[in-house]
Amino acid sequence: MQLVFLGIIVSLLSLLVFQDLKYRSVHWLLLPMLFVSLTFFRSPQGLQIIVFNGLFVVTLLFFLTLYVSLRNKKLTNLTRDYFGWGDILFLLAITPVADNFEFMLLVISGTLFTLILTLVISRFRQVGTVPYAGFFALFLLAYIPLNYFLILPDFNSFLIG
């Protein structure tokens, strides 16, 4: 059954990459479908982990808003010029993908992947805005199957011992 959900997740992420790169937006229906698929795929997770990961995303967005507002010396709406609603909803949709600490590292490494890929692409052509959700979904297209089939090392085991 997990292979079925893995196939659904890969299909949804592929469609998300396509839509974000081609149209610079994603259909909102993809995101709840991705959330539900990831929830069933990672069934042992539990609501507590999803809530914690969601709070982590909200905290990141709060501090990003605070940083941008301080930089602009006025209260700034993050979704106006810096971060799209699709990107925010995408981050919330992927909260079931991993345990707490692993999710934090996943968000950081996915964001770094997105920025590096944007820098590489900007060398060859003009990039107006960063397709954050699309590039992050591309990152997850590699991470989720690799983690499932190869069972990548658990980040928590490195810290605990």
Side-chain angles (χ1 to χ4, degrees):
M1 189 65 171
Q2 274 194 320
L3 280 176
V4 171
F5 283 111
L6 181 62
I8 292 170
I9 291 166
V10 166
S11 300
L12 290 171
L13 289 172
S14 299
L15 189 56
L16 204 139
V17 169
F18 172 76
Q19 284 183 353
D20 201 15
L21 294 179
K22 181 166 174 94
Y23 304 112
R24 297 298 299 124
S25 64
V26 295
H27 195 278
W28 70 270
L29 195 55
L30 284 176
L31 301 171
M33 291 168 52
L34 180 63
F35 177 81
V36 169
S37 299
L38 284 169
T39 301
F40 283 111
F41 179 67
R42 302 274 303 190
S43 56
Q45 289 288 49
L47 184 62
Q48 184 179 16
I49 290 173
I50 294 171
V51 169
F52 181 85
N53 289 347
L55 287 173
F56 173 71
V57 169
V58 169
T59 304
L60 275 178
L61 293 173
F62 170 76
F63 282 109
L64 185 58
T65 302
L66 185 65
Y67 169 75
V68 170
S69 295
L70 288 173
R71 189 170 168 219
N72 292 339
K73 297 179 182 158
K74 66 177 181 174
L75 186 61
T76 304
N77 183 355
L78 194 62
T79 60
R80 180 156 298 148
D81 295 322
Y82 297 96
F83 219 65
W85 276 107
D87 301 327
I88 293 169
L89 294 175
F90 173 76
L91 283 173
L92 292 172
I94 64 167
T95 53
V97 78
D99 292 338
N100 302 140
F101 185 70
E102 189 176 350
F103 180 77
M104 290 179 200
L105 290 176
L106 193 67
V107 169
I108 293 167
S109 54
T111 301
L112 285 174
F113 171 80
T114 299
L115 292 173
I116 290 168
L117 188 58
T118 302
L119 287 173
V120 168
I121 291 173
S122 69
R123 290 285 206 189
F124 301 104
R125 65 175 211 190
Q126 178 85 21
V127 177
T129 58
V130 177
Y132 182 78
F135 286 168
F136 202 116
L138 190 63
F139 175 79
L140 288 178
L141 274 171
Y143 171 79
I144 292 172
L146 280 173
N147 194 28
Y148 180 75
F149 289 113
L150 299 179
I151 307 173
L152 299 175
D154 183 16
F155 291 115
N156 293 329
S157 65
F158 289 124
L159 293 177
I160 297 170

